[in-house]
Amino acid sequence: MNPEDVRTKLAAAGAPGIISIEPFEGVAARVKFDPTAATALFPIVRDALGFPHLSMVGGIDWVERYEVFYLVWSDPAKTYLLLSADLDAKAPHIETASACWPSANWHEREAWELVGIQFDHHPDLRHLLMPDGYQFHPLQRAFKLHEPEDLEVKVRHV
Amino acid sequence: MALTTLWDVAYFLASALLTLVGRVIPPLAAPLSNGDVIWGLSALVFGAILLAASMINTIMLIWFERKMLGRFMDRRGAMHVGYAGLLQNFADGLKLFRKNTFKPREADELGFYAGPIAYMVTSLLMFGVLPISTGWSDGSLPLSMLLALVIFSFAPLFIFISAWSSNNKYSLMGGMRSAAQMIAYEVPILLAVVAVVLVSGSFDLNTIVAEQQNYWFWGPLVLAMVVFAIGMLAEMERIPFDLPEAEAELVEGWNTEYGGMLFAFFMLADYLRALAGSFLIVLLFLGGWTLPTYVPSALTTFPLAGIFWFLVKTYAVFGVFVWIRAALPRVRTDQLLRIGWMRMIPLSLAAVVLAAALVLVKCLPVFGCIPSMGG
Amino acid sequence: MSEMWINMGPQHPMTHGLWNLRVRIDGERILDVDPEMGYLHRGIEKISEDRHYNEVITLMDRTCYVAGIAWEHLYVQAAEKALGIAPTERSDWIRMMSEEFQRLASHIMWYAAFVQDLGLMSPFLYGMRDRDLILDLFQSYTGGRLTYEYMRVGGVRNDVPEGFTHRAREVLDWLEPRFVEYDRLCMGSDIFRRRCDDLGVLKANDCVRLGVTGPMLRSAGSKRDLRKDRPYSRYSQVEFDVATADSADVTGRYLVRMEEMRQSVRILRQVLDWLDSHPGPVLADHLPRWLGAPYAPIGREAYLLKRNYPKGVGLSAIEEPHGEACAYVVNEGGEHPYRVKFRSPVFANLSAAHHYLVGYHVADIPPIMGSVDVCVGEVDR
């Protein structure tokens, strides 16, 4: 599967919000899409393109914007596909993928707490790796290591 | 005075001690030579000897298990304290003695402390009943076997008390499992014992062993012995039936909250029960301290030969339990109870019927002709 | 007994690491589970942003402490793609050999811990004994037994020593009959089968839906193995079969891992033969000096660095012992990676815990979680 295949298949399925489809080493293609079209695009990628397995969801802080990327895998085509969307720097948010790929659940929780991307309609957006009540997003560029920080966090008692 | 029984030994020691004290302090000589005083002291000495013997045996049992498990696992077991690690368990015990005894804040004080002590005491009581050689206990206890089994079945009560009062969910679950398990396996054990009683015609352990002069009971009662051994395995809470303290899921089961000396009590009592269980198997099915008649008499007449052979048999039986522990995984609670209620009880009933039939058709002496069974 | 929540962890014999499985039970039956992670979170992805490319390798060993070299392999591949560097051929084979040895060590460690959870005591010691031989091999060419710091961007640190392949073959010859023993102790035991059959069932379509990979997925009949499907390193040049099972339960996962160990031995024999007959350099030439440790380029060098080393993004995926692991390394120029993101297979496998635990008994938790082969280091990173 190459970027042209991806383009034709996406067009045939009427996928909305595609910004660009470019080659990327190691995967079939990198598809840049408009985050507002996520709800409609994800099921198309899963069913029409045949990528039922979501490998990972990650966020990158580019300072002037955020990027969220999804790595999905197709068993018959034996290849990955990279989806990526640019998010607003002020209030980065995107529709959750966990309705389409349930495996996105924890990946999105992680991206939310570490990078600070809000996933709308996520079923269970709690802290995963950080303690409850943790105020910071460590993987943002503004979060510097070696800086004293207020570690007064509320720990839940169960 | 011939020192043939343990009571004689105790009496001799007590009277010697009192005479000595009377010599040193002449005014005490008269009151100390009173028969009641000597009797009382010799009872104490008797108990002390029993206590020391059972404790040392238990600790040696732990050493035996550690060494044997070590060999099964391709390692050497305890090696460093004493020759071949013989004193390792004494060192461990001393360490536990020195440890701080603590109690969870929310635990019930009475139950938390009384549970392990009562468990330990009842486990020790058993050794007052079980004879390990002729003349071990003075006089006959006509119902000694029943008494031993009654003491044996006290355990779930105390385990459950200590589990519940430690106020920990894991302890509670372990205690519940323990109670369910012990009650379930109590029944087949008692039924297997009924088979022995049918064949031997007595509840007295001394008589039961005496009845095995011609043939050991494992021959005619092989089914009863299998049921009894499996039931004992469950009563001792050893792998594959160690669910009450299954460390993978219940941390340490009903003794999760215990540390230091109280934990040592539990551990010791567990091995005391293991020792008592092995004793019972040897007494009921493997001829006690007797050897087959075709064995050269040199092997059976040396001093303390009865105790020696009894202990050899006991350790062999326990060795089988260790072997099982090294080779088998743990079963699950529902599987355990299903085995108990649906397999063991029918089997033990069959054993009783079989024993009754053997007695009725009077074919028991046949087993005396089979050399491997003792005759 | 009424319903209650119990915390299995963070200090609990079942967890094999530091995490907390909160379980809602009714008597002995599991009604709900909620894994709580993060006790071992060290922020490896964040620390990596402050490290030179080769310094990150040290962190990779700590990612999964039983499969350190597999994670090194994952990272160096991604970093090489991001930097546009190619490893030498021999180093690539050595890397593949290291990964297979690590798979063996990891699976043996898994076997030991798994049977221990079932109450089977002796095989734990057998497993540790046999794993030690592999660690000895690692020690002989990397110097480390658990944290190796062996791979480098562009190759590996050093070649294997004289006589290594011979010793490695001896170890393989010792291990192969051991697998038969392992099998006899487990599959030959009726109690083991009763405990593990039809336990923790997760069918193939559920695995795909929930992102579950590795032996768990293959035990459900799927043949997905990145070594076959998307060959990296030199896996396309060796012969091996993908181990699968159909039962999708704990027994199936056991069988898959056992077969994978045999296949690893098969791969390793081929790799050792290749290494014997193909000497060569193990580190690429003309590597930038700032890849290595504390060397901050200044002045003209820094300028050249910005100009000569184009930006790039590297993505790599390997079949780690636990499943599919991915690394995403962003190079924005400069001596530190801009962003490093890892996909941990156990992370995804654990996130599906609800689906393979609910409905079973408390006593089933250790074998089921054992069959998942949880390595908390790579979940929390």
Side-chain angles (χ1 to χ4, degrees):
Chain A
M1 203 180 255
N2 56 39
E4 279 314 306
D5 294 342
V6 175
R7 190 188 306 279
T8 38
K9 280 193 179 169
L10 279 175
I18 303 296
I19 294 173
S20 69
I21 297 172
E22 54 205 54
F24 188 94
E25 192 190 346
V27 301
R30 175 154 76 171
V31 180
K32 289 220 165 226
F33 66 96
D34 182 4
T36 52
T39 324
L41 180 65
F42 289 152
I44 292 176
V45 172
R46 184 188 64 183
D47 301 329
L49 267 71
F51 286 89
H53 171 69
L54 179 86
S55 277
M56 66 171 163
V57 179
I60 303 177
D61 177 9
W62 291 105
V63 184
E64 75 276 10
R65 64 190 161 89
Y66 282 91
E67 181 188 342
V68 59
F69 63 88
Y70 304 79
L71 188 67
V72 289
W73 168 265
S74 166
D75 265 330
K78 298 197 190 311
T79 181
Y80 283 113
L81 182 71
L82 196 60
L83 308 172
S84 104
D86 285 343
L87 307 178
D88 178 32
K90 285 277 185 303
H93 72 99
I94 187 170
E95 184 69 26
T96 176
S98 57
C100 176
W101 291 289
S103 55
N105 190 327
W106 277 28
H107 293 289
E108 289 185 347
R109 277 171 75 180
E110 190 196 323
W112 165 72
E113 70 170 346
L114 295 183
V115 190
I117 296 167
Q118 185 71 35
F119 290 93
D120 302 334
H121 304 113
H122 189 282
D124 187 25
L125 209 55
R126 287 179 294 140
H127 275 288
L128 182 67
L129 300 176
M130 293 300 179
D132 281 353
Y134 192 74
Q135 308 282 331
F136 310 94
H137 300 295
L139 282 176
Q140 289 181 352
R141 299 304 287 187
F143 184 95
K144 290 289 178 215
L145 292 179
H146 316 303
E147 266 181 25
E149 51 154 318
D150 183 14
L151 276 173
E152 193 79 24
V153 289
K154 278 173 277 175
V155 177
R156 180 171 44 135
H157 293 282
V158 287
Chain B
M1 186 161 60
L3 300 180
T4 48
T5 69
L6 184 63
W7 176 253
D8 292 342
V9 176
Y11 194 88
F12 173 74
L13 285 176
S15 50
L17 191 67
L18 289 176
T19 320
L20 197 69
V21 173
R23 291 263 171 81
V24 175
I25 313 167
L28 286 178
L32 283 185
S33 57
N34 182 341
D36 287 348
V37 173
I38 298 179
W39 189 89
L41 187 62
S42 42
L44 276 181
V45 172
F46 183 81
I49 293 174
L50 273 183
L51 180 72
S54 48
M55 279 300 192
I56 289 173
N57 252 310
T58 308
I59 288 174
M60 290 328 290
L61 203 68
I62 302 177
W63 174 83
F64 180 67
E65 169 161 39
R66 290 173 77 162
K67 294 303 269 190
M68 201 165 158
L69 268 186
R71 292 295 159 179
F72 276 122
M73 292 173 184
D74 212 355
R75 58 190 175 89
R76 297 164 88 180
M79 279 305 288
H80 291 291
V81 188
Y83 175 74
L86 268 171
L87 299 179
Q88 180 67 51
N89 293 309
F90 293 95
D92 290 350
L94 278 178
K95 188 199 80 174
L96 287 173
F97 259 119
R98 285 182 62 234
K99 281 189 147 185
N100 193 9
T101 304
F102 56 88
K103 172 181 88 69
R105 204 186 318 139
E106 304 292 321
D108 181 75
E109 189 149 3
L110 179 65
F112 188 79
Y113 289 125
I117 294 168
Y119 184 44
M120 175 87 181
V121 167
T122 47
S123 308
L124 271 173
L125 265 183
M126 214 135 32
F127 292 91
V129 183
L130 298 175
I132 74 172
S133 177
T134 45
W136 186 250
S137 51
D138 188 44
S140 66
L141 290 163
L143 295 176
S144 58
M145 188 183 69
L146 273 191
L147 186 56
L149 287 171
V150 165
I151 298 171
F152 209 81
S153 53
F154 274 148
L157 181 67
F158 299 126
I159 287 177
F160 194 69
I161 286 175
S162 36
W164 201 356
S165 50
S166 25
N167 195 20
N168 175 317
K169 289 168 181 169
Y170 290 115
S171 297
L172 184 59
M173 285 171 72
M176 304 250 301
R177 283 187 185 185
S178 177
Q181 168 173 338
M182 291 203 180
I183 289 165
Y185 280 78
E186 208 62 55
V187 184
I189 282 185
L190 288 174
L191 284 172
V193 165
V194 167
V196 176
V197 171
L198 280 175
V199 173
S200 68
S202 170
F203 279 111
D204 181 3
L205 286 167
N206 278 311
T207 321
I208 289 174
V209 174
E211 286 286 321
Q212 300 185 54
Q213 286 293 354
N214 295 325
Y215 50 90
W216 294 357
F217 284 166
W218 75 266
L221 298 177
V222 64
L223 194 55
M225 187 177 86
V226 169
V227 170
F228 190 83
I230 295 176
M232 271 297 158
L233 215 52
E235 291 280 311
M236 294 176 199
E237 294 177 0
R238 295 179 60 82
I239 283 176
F241 300 131
D242 71 334
L243 311 122
E245 42 192 314
E247 81 277 351
E249 64 247 31
L250 294 188
V251 190
E252 196 46 49
W254 40 267
N255 52 27
T256 301
E257 291 290 355
Y258 286 94
M261 205 50 233
L262 293 175
F263 173 74
F265 278 176
F266 272 129
M267 223 51 215
L268 212 52
D270 269 353
Y271 278 91
L272 280 170
R273 285 163 58 79
L275 184 64
S278 310
F279 273 10
L280 273 173
I281 291 176
V282 173
L283 286 170
L284 296 180
F285 299 101
L286 298 178
W289 48 86
T290 63
L291 279 189
T293 44
Y294 55 78
V295 170
S297 63
L299 285 179
T300 52
T301 50
F302 61 87
L304 300 182
I307 295 178
F308 175 78
W309 288 116
F310 188 83
L311 287 181
V312 167
K313 286 183 197 175
T314 308
Y315 279 69
V317 168
F318 188 71
V320 174
F321 289 149
V322 176
W323 186 3
I324 290 172
R325 180 176 177 191
L328 288 185
R330 179 184 302 129
V331 299
R332 208 168 51 210
T333 321
D334 54 329
Q335 293 169 341
L336 173 103
L337 294 179
R338 201 173 302 130
I339 296 168
W341 292 108
M342 296 173 70
R343 296 279 184 282
M344 300 290 286
I345 290 183
L347 269 181
S348 55
L349 283 170
V352 171
V353 172
L354 204 65
L358 283 174
V359 172
L360 277 179
V361 301
K362 295 190 173 55
C363 69
L364 278 173
V366 174
F367 291 97
C369 309
I370 306 170
S372 67
M373 288 177 185
Chain C
M1 206 193 297
S2 58
E3 292 174 14
M4 62 181 178
W5 281 96
I6 55 174
N7 285 299
M8 289 189 129
Q11 269 99 37
H12 189 284
M14 176 276 295
T15 53
H16 298 308
L18 214 53
W19 63 292
N20 183 6
L21 182 68
R22 303 185 66 232
V23 190
R24 187 156 64 90
I25 54 169
D26 178 11
E28 295 258 340
R29 191 158 286 275
I30 304 166
L31 300 177
D32 197 3
V33 296
D34 176 23
E36 264 187 22
M37 311 309 298
Y39 293 92
L40 217 54
H41 180 60
R42 292 145 294 174
I44 283 178
E45 289 172 7
K46 182 68 180 177
I47 301 172
S48 304
E49 294 176 5
D50 251 4
R51 297 273 171 135
H52 293 262
Y53 280 92
N54 272 345
E55 286 176 326
V56 177
I57 292 164
T58 310
L59 299 171
M60 286 301 97
D61 287 322
R62 276 83 183 165
T63 309
C64 180
Y65 31 74
V66 292
I69 226 157
W71 280 83
E72 285 183 20
H73 195 190
L74 173 73
Y75 166 74
V76 292
Q77 284 184 7
E80 278 161 1
K81 279 182 195 153
L83 292 163
I85 296 171
T88 64
E89 191 181 12
R90 185 172 169 85
S91 75
D92 222 4
W93 281 84
I94 294 179
R95 284 180 187 180
M96 184 163 86
M97 175 193 74
S98 307
E99 190 187 324
E100 285 311 312
F101 269 127
Q102 188 69 82
R103 191 184 313 280
L104 269 178
S106 172
H107 279 2
I108 292 176
M109 182 68 229
W110 160 81
Y111 171 80
F114 169 66
V115 293
Q116 171 84 350
D117 284 347
L118 276 168
L120 198 49
M121 296 176 72
S122 323
F124 175 76
L125 270 292
Y126 301 161
M128 297 307 270
R129 174 195 68 194
D130 299 339
R131 173 172 172 263
D132 228 42
L133 299 173
I134 299 173
L135 296 189
D136 286 344
L137 283 182
F138 273 127
Q139 193 178 11
S140 73
Y141 75 97
T142 71
R145 295 174 71 84
L146 203 65
T147 52
Y148 313 100
E149 286 118 38
Y150 177 62
M151 296 191 187
R152 293 288 181 272
V153 174
V156 295
R157 189 181 63 215
N158 54 275
D159 206 338
V160 294
E162 196 76 19
F164 172 82
T165 49
H166 177 66
R167 282 200 301 281
R169 282 198 193 89
E170 279 180 351
V171 170
L172 297 181
D173 289 342
W174 161 265
L175 282 178
E176 262 185 330
R178 298 290 90 71
F179 299 152
V180 181
E181 285 178 12
Y182 292 176
D183 246 4
R184 236 182 255 156
L185 273 163
C186 288
M187 297 309 280
S189 162
D190 193 40
I191 298 180
F192 179 88
R193 298 300 302 271
R194 277 169 198 265
R195 284 298 304 273
C196 295
D197 282 358
D198 300 320
L199 192 65
V201 176
L202 197 63
K203 294 285 181 207
N205 51 353
D206 288 330
C207 287
V208 172
R209 200 165 57 83
L210 298 163
V212 173
T213 54
M216 284 186 81
L217 173 66
R218 287 194 286 279
S219 79
S222 169
K223 280 186 86 73
R224 190 201 301 162
D225 186 332
L226 291 180
R227 292 177 293 170
K228 260 297 194 244
D229 292 348
R230 187 180 175 277
Y232 54 94
S233 218
R234 306 282 160 169
Y235 277 109
S236 51
Q237 299 176 36
V238 291
E239 279 181 19
F240 67 100
D241 298 323
V242 177
T244 58
D246 301 323
S247 50
D249 58 2
V250 174
T251 317
R253 286 163 214 159
Y254 168 86
L255 290 172
V256 166
R257 286 201 176 88
M258 279 292 155
E259 182 57 27
E260 270 184 21
M261 288 203 262
R262 294 195 184 93
Q263 296 299 332
S264 284
V265 172
R266 193 172 151 201
I267 295 172
L268 279 168
R269 288 191 192 284
Q270 299 170 49
V271 178
L272 292 171
D273 287 344
W274 191 94
L275 286 179
D276 271 345
S277 52
H278 295 76
V282 292
L283 204 55
D285 292 334
H286 309 300
L287 292 171
R289 287 167 70 188
W290 45 268
L291 278 179
Y295 177 78
I298 48 165
R300 181 171 166 72
E301 204 175 359
Y303 169 74
L304 283 176
L305 175 120
K306 295 267 190 245
R307 214 184 63 179
N308 288 354
Y309 286 91
K311 302 172 180 182
V313 180
L315 174 82
S316 73
I318 67 165
E319 190 70 29
E320 205 233 356
H322 308 95
E324 169 203 21
C326 307
Y328 190 86
V329 175
V330 181
N331 163 27
E332 272 293 290
E335 65 271 25
H336 304 311
Y338 184 82
R339 170 87 165 94
V340 182
K341 161 78 186 161
F342 297 107
R343 186 232 194 235
S344 147
V346 184
F347 182 86
N349 292 0
L350 258 188
S351 71
H354 185 89
H355 299 266
Y356 49 74
L357 278 176
V358 169
Y360 297 101
H361 291 92
V362 175
D364 295 332
I365 293 177
I368 295 177
M369 293 320 295
S371 74
V372 176
D373 195 5
V374 178
C375 175
V376 187
E378 61 168 80
V379 180
D380 290 353
R381 284 156 307 187

